[in-house]
């Protein structure tokens, strides 16, 4: 097994622990953060659903870049994730 | 027995049925697919006066514009009286645009380059100005067609294909479908891009051909970036063009669902649905040139439709002398959604023998005599 | 450069196809959207590549022989004279357009969960079964503390046993079908029996109850899942009696749908699969109806990793032969494909989706998650004259949003009483307008 680097990313300013290779969706979900956006009509909370890049429910803003699929975006040290 | 059979449940057929029903006629609509399943379901929803050269089509567009506002009161579909902004890349083009606006004699505001951001804050810099047309509007055409059919309450026969006409001598006395014979005093051909095939069935051919148009749809945006229908002056020249090759000039606008629509490629390639990357690139490039902020916006969908065009780019509206009892309401090219209410209104007047109040001669099917026989 | 073969999809079918073609001397590129090879079945964490089993063997066969292009998502495929151009977006957050060209194309794009709507299915905490599995296998994240696993199909067992083995409290597995006579109909190979027995033992060891003929018909909670309504179902999946089960997570899946965006773009003929969903039509050599285009794995019918690998091997060999390379005939491989296909089809028949799920919906239940289209609006559109799911989409917008109907398309087709149609998605992945406007780079 390769050495598994642990680091932190931030979610809405607060620290969240991550391991190298994990997706942002997995990092947030593991930390008990289950939704990070609300829908545009009903304001419904959304997070992971399909987990493999198909449903686009887990869209998230990372370092200012919007509309990234959290389940398809690898977490990198220092990432600033914001809900929307 | 219905008074009228309307062939086609697109927006033009729906408007014909609505106005005919309102004039007291009993109407049956026959549609081989679903409501709005042809060109209506593949359009952008343009209700434009700005792109029309002075003449009969502009008159039709102005009448339609008033009627769309009335129909919007019925409710149940989106109608946005957002206005259209035509922009010019150079001073020369801006002079041509203002000249056109004067000749059109429709409500407009000439916009100086420094005032463009007041209309569209995200518009590219360096443009030479523009003309704003407050009457330009946007309609959700599929729901509009469905609602007009609901309000007109004709007998609606979807999934039924017209295969021929009932005749008494030359006279058209109804239609034959794959399921039944439907006798009627009059038949309206509102089959859009396929209206030529219907006319052929009646032995009264019309020169209507498909012109392919691609529309791009972006991801839904949280904040509206674009307030009006925005396009460059090149769109006006393309609309009237006779070229068979690709022409595109992006019309860019936001929609109530948050997406941005980018439309208006025009090609004559028959009924070919194959995605064309050069067309997509051209539309994307033009959209980004108009609104640089769109470079980071994602495209999630593209669709194409087939606009019904005639050699002179005018629709066909009126009775067919070769087949008495048959009326045409088709061939609106890329303007069918905008021109639908006026077309329906005029057809209903013709069916009831009322004064049309508009010179129909430029639209009559007789004008092709000699071309198609 | 132009490759002899471009393979799309780095799962069992794509890896096997790339390996077989490369071993026969072809220049092969293997394109996959994920960060590492494996696809869904061989998904593994960044830090723990499997050292035993089929994955390392396949990986070794691909490595050094084929060009592997990971993190390349394909947004469209186009024919360019004699070549096939695969238009990709490379990278994740800083994606760049790149084009890979080949003389032949093998589509091995796999499948994703088939979802059915039910009240509350968009609450955070409700995941697809595949989503929960991906979290566990790829990220080593257990999807929740107290988890309900529900839906239909043999896949529910490995999901539940994996979660239980990783420490989750699995409140129960709810299999909507009754599974009478499965063993007789499917006649599984001994290895399959052993695998299924292993999962069953694991569930037993963790005291996870298994309920056949039951389903989760509603999920509840305010901002996240707190409990679900479980129903005992009749043969057509109409609820007979209900009860409440507390949980923070639901993993739910009703089988799988092949990803057909790219073959449909190219005009490959499809046919209704055993379960009604469209699959790509292929001949014994895995050739599609479009010259130069091959398909293997779930795209030709959902059948699992073993079948996918066999199809990949066969497809790779066919491509090599079609390009004039000699390949020894492989009758054993073809026989194995027939046997595995028969087994897969028997499973699909044993785990059907029954119509009764429509009765789980209330007027306010979202059918389309992206555009937030409730069931009532679908009914209203039908009432306005929409005959089929395309017309429903035009009038009520289900399938118009981000996922382009990948999640709701199956359900909308069922609600309209029609067979699911092959998906028309000319844009298979979102692409930035700026990237589309630029001419793409060639991939070396």
């Amino acid at each position: 097994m390769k050495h598994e680097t642990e680091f932190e990313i931030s979610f809405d300013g607060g620290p969240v622990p991550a391991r190298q290779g994990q997706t942002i969706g997995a990092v947030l979900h593991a930390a008990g953060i289950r939704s990070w956006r609300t829908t545009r009509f009903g304001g419904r909370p959304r997070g992971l659903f399909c987990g493999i890049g198909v449903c686009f429910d887990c869209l998230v803003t990372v370092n200012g870049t919007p509309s990234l699929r959290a389940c398809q975006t690898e977490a990198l040290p220092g990432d600033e994730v914001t809900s929307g | 027995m219905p008074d009228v059979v309307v062939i086609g449940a697109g927006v033009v057929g729906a408007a014909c049925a609505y106005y005919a029903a309102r004039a007291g006629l009993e109407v049956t609509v026959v549609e081989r697919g679903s409501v709005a399943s042809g060109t209506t379901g593949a359009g952008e929803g343009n209700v434009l006066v700005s792109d029309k050269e002075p003449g009969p089509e502009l008159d039709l567009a102005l009448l339609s514009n008033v009627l769309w506002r009335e129909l919007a009161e019925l409710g149940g579909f989106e109608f946005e009286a957002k206005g259209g902004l035509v922009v010019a890349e150079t001073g020369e083009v801006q002079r041509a645009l203002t000249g056109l606006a004067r000749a059109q004699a429709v409500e407009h505001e000439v916009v100086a380059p420094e005032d463009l951001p007041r209309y569209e804050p995200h518009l590219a810099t360096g443009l030479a100005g523009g003309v704003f047309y407050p009457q330009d509007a946007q309609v959700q055409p599929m729901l509009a067609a469905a609602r007009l059919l609901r309000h007109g309450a004709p007998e609606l026969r979807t999934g039924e294909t017209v295969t021929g006409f009932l005749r008494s001598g030359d006279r058209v006395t109804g239609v034959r479908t794959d399921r039944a014979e439907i006798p009627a005093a009059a038949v309206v051909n509102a089959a859009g891009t396929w209206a030529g095939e219907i006319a052929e069935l009646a032995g009264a051919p019309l020169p209507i051909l498909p012109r392919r148009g691609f529309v791009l749809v972006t991801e839904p945006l949280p904040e509206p970036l674009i307030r009006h229908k925005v396009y460059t002056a090149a769109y006006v020249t393309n609309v009237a063009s006779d070229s068979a090759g690709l022409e595109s000039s992006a019309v860019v606008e936001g929609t109530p669902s948050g997406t941005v629509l980018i439309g208006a490629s025009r090609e004559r390639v028959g009924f070919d649905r194959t995605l064309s990357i050069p067309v997509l690139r051209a539309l994307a490039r033009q959209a980004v040139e108009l609104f640089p902020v769109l470079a980071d916006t994602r495209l999630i969908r593209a669709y194409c439709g087939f606009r019904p065009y005639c050699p002179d780019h005018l629709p066909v509206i009126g009775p067919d002398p070769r087949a008495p009892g048959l009326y045409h309401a088709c061939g609106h090219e890329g303007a069918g959604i905008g021109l639908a209410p006026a077309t329906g209104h005029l057809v209903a007047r013709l069916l009831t023998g009322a004064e049309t109040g508009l010179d129909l001669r430029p639209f009559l099917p007789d004008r092709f005599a000699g071309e198609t026989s | 450069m132009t490759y002899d073969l471009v393979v799309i999809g780095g799962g069992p079918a794509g890896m096997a196809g790339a390996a077989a073609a490369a071993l026969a001397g072809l220049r092969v590129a293997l394109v996959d959207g994920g960060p590492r090879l494996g696809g869904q079945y061989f998904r593994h964490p960044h830090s723990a590549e499997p050292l035993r089993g089929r994955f390392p063997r396949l990986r070794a066969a691909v490595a050094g022989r084929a060009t592997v292009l990971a993190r390349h998502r394909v947004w469209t495929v186009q024919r360019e004279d004699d070549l096939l151009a695969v238009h990709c977006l490379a990278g994740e957050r800083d994606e760049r357009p790149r084009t890979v060209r080949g003389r032949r194309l093998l589509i091995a794009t796999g499948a994703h969960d088939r979802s059915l709507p039910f009240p509350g299915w968009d609450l955070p905490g409700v995941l697809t079964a595949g989503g929960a599995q991906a979290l566990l296998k790829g990220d080593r994240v257990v999807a929740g503390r107290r988890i309900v696993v529900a839906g239909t199909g043999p896949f529910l067992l490995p999901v539940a046993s994996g979660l239980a083995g990783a420490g989750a409290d699995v409140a129960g597995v709810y299999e909507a079908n009754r599974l009478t006579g499965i063993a007789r109909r499917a006649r599984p190979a001994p290895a399959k029996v052993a695998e299924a027995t292993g999962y069953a033992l694991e569930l037993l060891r963790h005291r996870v109850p298994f309920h056949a003929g039951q389903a989760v018909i509603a999920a509840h909670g305010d901002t996240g899942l707190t409990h679900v309504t479980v129903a005992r179902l009749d043969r057509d999946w109409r609820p007979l009696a209900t009860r409440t089960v507390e949980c923070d997570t639901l993993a739910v899946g009703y089988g799988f749908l092949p990803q057909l965006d790219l073959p449909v773009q190219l005009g490959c003929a499809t046919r209704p699969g055993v379960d009604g969903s469209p699959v790509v039509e292929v001949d014994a050599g895995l050739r599609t109806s479009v010259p130069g285009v091959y398909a293997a794995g779930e795209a030709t019918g959902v059948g699992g990793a073993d079948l996918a690998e066999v199809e990949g091997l066969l497809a790779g060999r066919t491509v090599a032969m079609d390009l004039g390379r000699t390949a020894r005939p492989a009758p054993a491989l073809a026989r194995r494909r027939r046997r595995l296909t028969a087994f897969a089809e028997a499973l699909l028949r044993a785990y059907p989706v029954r119509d009764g799920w429509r009765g789980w919906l209330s007027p306010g239940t979202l059918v389309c998650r992206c555009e937030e289209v409730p069931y009532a609006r679908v009914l209203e559109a039908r009432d306005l004259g929409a005959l089929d799911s395309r017309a429903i989409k035009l009038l009520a917008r289900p399938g118009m949003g981000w996922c382009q109907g990948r999640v709701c398309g199956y359900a909308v087709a069922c609600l309209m009483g029609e067979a699911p149609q092959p998906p028309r998605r000319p844009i298979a992945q979102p692409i930035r307008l700026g990237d589309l406007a630029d001419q793409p780079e060639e991939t070396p």
Side-chain angles (χ1 to χ4, degrees):
Chain A
M1 200 180 282
K2 292 178 203 167
H3 177 65
E4 194 163 85
T5 319
E6 297 193 8
F7 54 88
E8 275 184 358
I9 67 170
S10 79
F11 174 73
D12 286 346
V16 183
R19 291 195 301 265
Q20 193 181 353
Q22 286 185 313
T23 68
I24 284 173
V27 167
L28 297 179
H29 195 91
I33 301 163
R34 294 213 163 178
S35 83
W36 40 86
R37 75 174 181 103
T38 52
T39 59
R40 60 197 200 281
F41 301 121
R44 305 165 81 101
R46 293 281 171 87
L48 289 182
F49 177 63
C50 83
I52 60 168
V54 171
C55 76
F56 293 83
D57 256 357
C58 67
L59 293 176
V60 73
T61 299
V62 183
N63 303 329
T65 303
S67 307
L68 293 170
R69 279 169 278 187
C71 73
Q72 301 287 290
T73 307
E74 192 175 314
L76 297 176
D79 273 345
E80 291 179 12
V81 178
T82 42
S83 62
Chain B
M1 176 176 130
D3 299 308
V4 194
V5 167
V6 176
I7 305 171
V11 70
V12 173
C16 289
Y18 171 79
Y19 284 106
R22 235 187 37 169
L25 299 176
E26 198 175 311
V27 185
T28 293
V29 176
V30 182
E31 161 64 52
R32 67 175 175 181
S34 280
V35 169
S37 59
T39 304
T40 298
E44 302 161 80
N46 284 336
V47 179
L48 300 184
V49 296
S50 55
D51 66 335
K52 308 287 187 292
E53 299 279 344
E57 202 191 0
L58 179 58
D59 297 340
L60 204 60
L62 287 166
L63 172 59
S64 237
N65 201 278
V66 174
L67 296 175
W68 263 128
R69 278 156 217 272
E70 279 175 25
L71 294 175
E73 302 291 316
L74 297 171
F77 62 91
E78 291 161 6
F79 178 85
E80 295 177 277
K82 56 165 74 164
L85 180 66
V86 192
V87 297
E89 293 94 335
T90 66
E92 192 186 340
V93 173
Q94 175 67 359
R95 280 189 293 282
L97 272 185
T98 47
L100 174 66
R102 263 198 310 277
Q104 287 168 320
V106 301
E107 197 183 337
H108 69 272
E109 297 154 25
V110 175
V111 184
E114 63 274 17
D115 291 333
L116 283 172
R118 275 203 300 117
Y119 288 81
E120 290 293 346
H122 298 285
L123 199 60
T125 53
L127 290 162
V131 177
F132 179 68
Y133 291 82
Q135 282 163 290
D136 281 357
Q138 161 77 11
V139 67
Q140 206 282 28
M142 296 82 84
L143 266 179
R147 292 290 175 186
L148 288 182
L149 288 168
R150 173 50 50 93
H151 288 293
E155 188 198 1
L156 179 58
R157 302 171 68 140
T158 48
E160 186 167 346
T161 305
V162 170
T163 56
F165 284 87
L166 306 179
R167 303 299 276 260
S168 168
D170 274 353
R171 196 164 179 82
V172 164
T173 57
V175 298
R176 184 175 298 113
T177 76
D178 53 359
R179 281 195 232 148
E181 290 190 351
I182 312 173
V187 175
V188 177
N189 173 15
T193 313
W194 299 271
E197 293 168 27
I198 294 293
E200 195 76 46
L201 287 178
L206 291 176
I208 294 180
L209 288 169
R211 184 138 115 166
R212 182 171 75 175
F214 273 101
V215 178
L216 312 187
V217 188
T218 70
E219 62 183 301
L221 300 173
E223 302 290 331
L225 283 179
I226 298 159
R227 299 173 181 175
H228 309 97
K229 280 186 181 279
V230 182
Y231 61 91
T232 62
Y235 179 77
V236 186
T237 39
N238 276 0
V239 167
S241 164
D242 285 318
S243 161
L246 166 66
E247 292 164 12
S248 74
S249 43
V251 177
V252 186
E253 68 185 299
T255 67
S257 68
T259 57
V260 174
L261 290 188
I262 301 160
S265 69
R266 286 160 187 268
E267 297 163 279
R268 293 186 201 168
V269 290
F271 287 102
D272 178 4
R273 289 196 174 274
T274 317
L275 183 81
S276 163
I277 294 201
V279 173
L280 262 53
R281 280 200 205 295
L283 286 172
R285 198 174 306 123
Q286 289 163 350
V288 172
E289 276 166 13
L290 270 178
F291 291 97
V293 65
L294 288 178
D296 285 328
T297 302
R298 287 172 176 81
L299 174 68
I300 64 168
R301 190 160 74 88
Y303 59 91
C304 75
F306 300 101
R307 327 294 183 217
Y309 78 92
C310 290
D312 58 5
H313 303 289
L314 290 177
V316 188
I317 304 169
D320 195 317
R322 299 166 295 183
L326 175 64
Y327 296 75
H328 297 292
C330 51
H332 295 75
E333 200 159 345
I337 288 151
L339 300 180
T343 303
H345 167 83
L346 293 170
V347 166
R349 308 283 292 179
L350 289 169
L351 289 170
T352 53
E355 196 53 49
T356 58
L358 195 95
D359 182 6
L360 277 183
R361 277 172 303 179
F363 308 120
L364 292 177
D366 321 30
R367 70 185 196 268
F368 303 116
E371 277 183 49
T372 55
S373 56
Chain C
M1 93 167 234
T2 301
Y3 293 91
D4 294 318
L5 173 66
V6 179
V7 179
I8 305 176
M15 290 176 78
L23 277 167
L26 301 187
R27 282 169 307 174
V28 180
L30 173 53
V31 173
D32 188 83
R36 347 173 228 290
L37 287 177
Q40 303 308 332
Y41 185 77
F42 293 133
R43 187 185 281 271
H44 56 274
H46 153 84
S47 56
E49 190 164 291
L51 299 175
R52 284 193 303 275
R54 280 153 44 215
F55 176 74
R57 283 210 304 275
L58 277 173
R59 217 195 74 97
V62 170
R65 294 198 180 92
T67 305
V68 175
L69 300 166
R71 297 183 210 265
H72 277 58
R73 292 185 301 283
V74 180
W75 69 272
T76 191
V77 184
Q78 302 258 308
R79 181 171 285 287
E80 290 179 355
D81 302 319
D82 291 341
L83 297 180
L84 290 146
V86 179
H87 296 279
C88 309
L89 296 165
E92 279 173 10
R93 45 192 102 180
D94 303 314
E95 62 191 18
R96 281 283 150 264
R98 295 179 99 179
T99 299
V100 188
R101 289 185 172 80
R103 297 164 66 197
R104 295 289 189 274
L105 181 68
L106 172 57
I107 295 170
T109 41
H112 57 77
D113 287 82
R114 180 161 60 191
S115 294
L116 296 179
F118 54 88
W121 71 309
D122 70 325
L123 274 172
V126 179
L127 300 172
T128 64
Q133 184 80 331
L135 273 179
L136 191 62
K137 282 165 72 171
D139 300 283
R140 285 198 279 185
V141 170
V142 185
R145 274 195 277 279
R146 187 169 158 82
I147 306 178
V148 164
V149 178
T152 192
F155 182 60
L156 300 183
L157 292 179
V159 171
S161 79
L163 291 169
D169 170 13
V170 178
V173 180
Y174 300 90
E175 161 61 59
N177 282 300
R178 285 160 187 273
L179 311 179
T180 43
I182 258 201
R184 176 171 45 81
R185 269 184 291 175
R187 269 187 280 162
K192 284 281 152 195
V193 176
E195 190 183 336
T197 310
Y199 295 137
L201 285 174
E202 180 79 359
L203 293 180
L204 209 59
R205 200 155 62 81
H206 293 281
R207 304 268 180 276
V208 174
F210 179 91
H211 308 275
Q214 299 192 24
V216 168
I217 62 164
H220 312 277
D222 187 15
T223 54
L225 183 67
T226 54
H227 57 289
V228 295
T229 301
V230 168
R232 200 156 52 76
L233 304 176
D234 71 7
R235 290 184 56 85
D236 292 321
W237 292 16
R238 282 184 295 255
L240 296 171
T242 63
R243 67 181 192 281
T244 295
V245 177
E246 280 184 30
C247 58
D248 58 40
T249 303
L250 169 64
V252 58
Y254 287 89
F256 294 92
L257 290 174
Q259 307 232 41
L260 299 188
D261 302 352
L262 303 179
V264 172
Q265 282 181 2
L266 286 164
C268 298
T270 61
R271 61 177 173 86
V274 170
D275 60 352
S277 290
V279 300
V280 178
E281 195 151 38
V282 288
D283 67 9
L286 285 306
R287 297 177 192 88
T288 71
S289 66
V290 174
V293 181
Y294 306 71
E298 313 295 51
T300 71
V302 169
D306 294 353
L307 177 57
E309 189 180 328
V310 169
E311 290 195 346
L313 289 173
L314 281 167
R317 296 168 66 95
T318 310
V319 173
M321 283 189 283
D322 290 351
L323 287 177
R325 305 298 199 280
T326 47
R328 275 181 295 127
L333 215 49
R335 273 198 305 276
R336 190 161 148 73
R337 175 173 178 238
R338 283 195 296 274
R339 198 172 61 241
L340 288 168
T341 301
F343 177 62
E345 291 183 345
L347 280 183
L348 290 174
R349 286 193 192 94
Y351 295 95
V353 173
R354 301 281 182 199
D355 283 347
W357 67 265
R358 302 180 206 182
W360 308 348
L361 307 182
S362 65
T365 305
L366 293 190
V367 170
C368 167
R369 304 163 65 97
C370 301
E371 295 299 294
E372 298 169 74
V373 181
Y375 184 42
R377 214 181 300 152
V378 172
L379 294 177
E380 185 188 32
R382 196 167 64 182
D383 189 43
L384 281 170
L387 290 184
D388 52 25
S389 50
R390 177 171 177 266
I392 289 284
K393 175 175 163 183
L394 290 176
L395 293 185
R397 298 188 61 80
M400 286 274 198
W402 268 110
C403 92
Q404 289 293 293
R406 289 173 176 90
V407 175
C408 71
Y410 175 82
V412 172
C414 292
L415 290 173
M416 293 308 291
E418 68 182 27
Q421 298 301 302
R424 209 157 67 194
R425 295 188 192 104
I427 312 287
Q429 291 286 331
I431 174 171
R432 289 183 173 101
L433 285 169
D435 289 340
L436 178 57
D438 290 342
Q439 289 297 325
E441 285 174 44
E442 294 294 318
T443 292

